[in-house]
């Protein structure tokens, strides 16, 4: 298992998975594709698509698996510290449904 570096890009092939640790609080920004993310100690897993992100706490163990196509994940260091038991997913830009209503994850 390796550590995620700030401003790192991860290219993950279809059906492939990577196991990493976040030495500091970081944001995983999905740039291309769709991924399944598991954060150790969290009750939920996350399906994220291009345009979505997940904030993870320092010292998190994370497994990221690409879905049907190759995915690109950009890693950025957060400027604030997250509690060790938290992860937050969201959109980098406001997303709306086909009817124009806001979408939440």
């Amino acid at each position: 298992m390796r550590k995620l570096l700030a401003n790192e890009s991860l290219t993950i092939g279809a059906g492939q998975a990577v196991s990493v640790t976040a030495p500091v609080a970081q944001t995983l920004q999905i740039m291309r594709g769709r991924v399944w993310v598991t954060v150790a100690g969290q009750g939920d897993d996350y399906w994220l698509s291009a345009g979505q992100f997940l904030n993870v706490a320092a010292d998190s163990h994370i497994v990221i698996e690409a879905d049907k196509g190759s995915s690109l994940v950009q890693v950025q260091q957060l400027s604030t510290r997250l509690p060790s038991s938290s992860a937050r997913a969201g959109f980098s830009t406001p997303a709306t449904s086909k009817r124009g209503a806001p979408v939440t994850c």
Side-chain angles (χ1 to χ4, degrees):
M1 183 176 3
R2 68 181 191 78
K3 291 183 179 182
L4 285 175
L5 303 174
N7 300 317
E8 177 179 10
S9 292
L10 299 173
T11 300
I12 307 168
Q16 302 263 321
V18 295
S19 178
V20 295
T21 59
V24 296
Q26 295 177 324
T27 297
L28 308 177
Q29 175 75 43
I30 312 310
M31 307 304 288
R32 180 182 70 236
R34 183 173 182 225
V35 297
W36 176 42
V37 182
T38 300
V39 181
Q42 297 291 312
D44 296 320
D45 290 345
Y46 304 90
W47 279 106
L48 302 171
S49 298
Q52 294 182 304
F53 66 87
L54 179 68
N55 292 333
V56 295
D59 301 318
S60 294
H61 173 214
I62 307 154
V63 177
I64 307 167
E65 182 176 344
D67 194 17
K68 297 178 182 177
S70 177
S71 295
L72 177 63
V73 180
Q74 178 69 39
V75 180
Q76 297 172 352
Q77 184 172 337
L78 281 174
S79 59
T80 59
R81 182 162 175 81
L82 293 174
S84 61
S85 62
S86 73
R88 184 177 75 87
F91 295 95
S92 59
T93 56
T96 57
S97 67
K98 290 181 182 177
R99 294 186 180 126
V103 176
T104 58
C105 3

